[in-house]
């Protein structure tokens, strides 16, 4: 039995005519008729009532039609899944909040590319809510997001805890604040405060820290620009420590961090994806690389799934 035999029978049933079915399928009418006769011989069932006025599905054929339709629908699902698998193995889309750590992301993606040279990796910066939505809608394969300890991971996504860290002050290396062992809220206000704009986790943290009265001097869209502004001497910003550790600006001595003289608040970096027992191979391998490199960093890892 061949799939085309079932497709030919379904077309004749739908169009009510061998001639019209042959035209739609771009085959000759005799070839179409013979293909269906071969199917009838294989099944030992008369599927079509053939008359001078035309061909119609028989009573026995009508009883078998739900099974034929089910097979064709299953084949269609298989083809769509295969196309999606092919696309996923040719491109992996990773959404990341701007405070995700360079020291994790860069080596993980580099190692992945060595083993998947034909696979394109798109790293797309976005806010957490946009990453969540795009993961559910299929626009992203994986997402890196930050949460504060006590936040509940979304129930409709799989979440793996990659890193634990603390909120620290990111200051220019030659700033007077860099000479202090730890910074109070009063210390933070001795320089212009660079705050992430609304929608970022650190905006929520600063809002909570100053009891809703955020005394920012600058507002920026993400940690990378915040660190650049600190390096330029424009002020101080608050970030997860793993967002600064290993950053090129920190490695080359332009910026540094200081702990806060406040009750510690744990920040967590989560790797999220859609729940699926059949994650595409390339996506699964990038997921594995991110977990592997997180284990190599001092912040530690755990599994929330």
């Amino acid at each position: 039995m061949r799939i085309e035999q079932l497709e030919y029978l379904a077309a004749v049933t739908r169009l009510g005519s061998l001639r019209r079915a042959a035209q739609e399928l771009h085959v000759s009418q005799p070839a179409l008729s013979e293909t269906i006769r071969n199917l009838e011989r294989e099944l030992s069932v008369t599927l079509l009532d053939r008359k001078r006025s035309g061909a119609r599905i028989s009573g026995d054929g009508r009883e078998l039609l739900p099974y034929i339709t089910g097979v064709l629908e299953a084949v269609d699902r298989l083809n769509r899944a295969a196309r999606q698998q092919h696309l996923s193995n040719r491109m992996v889309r990773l959404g990341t909040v701007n405070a995700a750590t360079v020291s994790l992301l860069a080596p993980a993606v580099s190692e992945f590319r060595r083993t998947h040279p034909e696979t394109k990796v798109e790293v797309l910066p976005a806010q957490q809510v946009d990453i969540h939505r795009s993961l559910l809608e299929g626009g992203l394969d994986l997402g890196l997001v930050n949460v504060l300890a006590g936040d509940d991971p979304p129930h409709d996504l799989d979440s793996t805890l990659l890193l634990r860290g603390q909120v620290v002050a990111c200051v220019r290396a030659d700033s007077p604040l860099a000479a202090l062992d730890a910074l109070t809220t009063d210390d933070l206000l001795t320089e212009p405060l660079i705050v992430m704009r609304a929608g970022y986790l650190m905006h929520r943290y600063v809002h909570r820290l100053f009891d809703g009265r955020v005394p920012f001097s600058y507002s920026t869209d993400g940690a990378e620009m915040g660190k650049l502004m600190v390096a330029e001497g424009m002020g101080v910003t608050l970030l997860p420590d793993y967002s600064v550790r290993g950053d090129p600006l920190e490695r080359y001595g332009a910026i540094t961090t200081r702990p806060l003289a406040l009750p510690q608040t744990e920040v967590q970096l989560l790797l999220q994806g859609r729940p699926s027992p059949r994650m595409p191979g390339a996506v699964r391998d990038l997921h594995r690389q991110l977990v592997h490199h997180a284990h190599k960093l001092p912040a530690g890892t755990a599994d929330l799934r």
Side-chain angles (χ1 to χ4, degrees):
M1 184 184 301
R2 304 191 308 275
I3 295 301
E4 68 178 24
Q5 294 173 311
L6 304 181
E7 292 174 337
Y8 286 6
L9 179 62
V12 173
T13 302
R14 175 167 49 83
L15 298 171
S17 165
L18 283 167
R19 179 180 57 81
R20 287 196 292 270
Q23 289 174 343
E24 180 177 284
L25 295 168
H26 303 292
V27 298
S28 69
Q29 185 172 329
L32 174 62
S33 180
E34 183 60 25
T35 298
I36 295 177
R37 285 191 187 280
N38 289 335
L39 178 60
E40 291 175 320
R41 284 192 286 268
E42 290 181 44
L43 297 177
S44 300
V45 172
T46 299
L47 299 171
L48 292 180
D49 289 331
R50 294 171 174 83
K51 300 178 181 179
R52 288 190 175 183
S53 59
R56 297 287 188 275
I57 190 166
S58 67
D60 288 342
R62 194 172 293 107
E63 290 184 7
L64 293 177
L65 190 59
Y67 301 100
I68 293 171
T69 302
V71 171
L72 293 176
E73 289 176 347
V75 170
D76 182 61
R77 289 195 297 271
L78 173 62
N79 285 327
R80 283 189 279 112
R83 287 194 296 271
Q84 183 60 42
Q85 182 88 350
H86 174 74
L87 290 174
S88 296
N89 285 329
R90 293 298 301 273
M91 177 185 293
V92 179
R93 295 153 300 181
L94 172 67
T96 174
V97 292
N98 279 302
T101 173
V102 173
S103 57
L104 166 63
L105 188 57
V109 172
S110 295
E111 182 63 28
F112 172 82
R113 288 281 297 140
R114 277 193 286 272
T115 57
H116 295 76
E118 301 300 320
T119 302
K120 180 180 178 180
V121 180
E122 283 194 346
V123 180
L124 306 170
Q127 292 190 3
Q128 181 170 331
V129 64
D130 298 321
I131 292 174
H132 185 184
R133 183 181 64 253
S134 293
L135 284 170
L136 293 176
E137 293 176 351
L140 292 173
D141 299 298
L142 296 171
L144 289 170
V145 302
N146 291 306
V147 298
L148 294 175
D151 289 349
D152 292 326
H155 68 278
D156 44 5
L157 293 173
D158 282 343
S159 297
T160 301
L161 176 57
L162 294 183
L163 298 175
R164 287 188 171 96
Q166 305 292 336
V167 178
V168 295
C170 176
V171 301
R172 185 176 162 110
D174 59 2
S175 165
L177 296 179
L180 302 178
D181 293 331
L183 305 185
T184 66
T185 52
D186 288 340
D187 293 328
L188 293 174
L189 298 180
T190 61
E191 291 192 10
L193 191 59
I194 303 166
V195 180
M196 302 302 109
R197 68 180 178 88
Y200 288 95
L201 183 72
M202 285 298 98
H203 179 93
R204 177 156 63 96
Y205 176 83
V206 172
H207 193 273
R208 180 190 303 176
L209 180 64
F210 288 95
D211 196 26
R213 297 182 295 274
V214 182
F216 64 83
S217 298
Y218 302 103
S219 180
T220 187
D221 193 7
E224 298 310 310
M225 180 56 68
K227 286 180 282 190
L228 286 171
M229 293 172 72
V230 170
E232 289 295 322
M234 297 176 66
V236 57
T237 192
L238 298 179
L239 294 171
D241 54 3
Y242 53 69
S243 176
V244 184
R245 188 185 303 119
D247 185 278
L249 292 172
E250 190 257 354
R251 291 203 311 268
Y252 298 135
I255 61 175
T256 188
T257 63
R258 286 296 176 267
L260 302 180
L262 302 165
Q264 292 296 308
T265 299
E266 183 177 89
V267 189
Q268 300 170 348
L269 181 67
L270 302 185
L271 174 58
Q272 296 182 329
R274 295 183 301 278
S276 173
R278 295 180 298 274
M279 183 182 291
V283 177
R284 182 176 60 250
D285 289 347
L286 180 56
H287 188 289
R288 186 182 299 118
Q289 285 294 339
L290 287 164
V291 173
H292 170 72
H293 283 277
H295 275 286
K296 297 169 68 174
L297 295 175
T301 63
D303 195 341
L304 291 181
R305 222 178 302 178

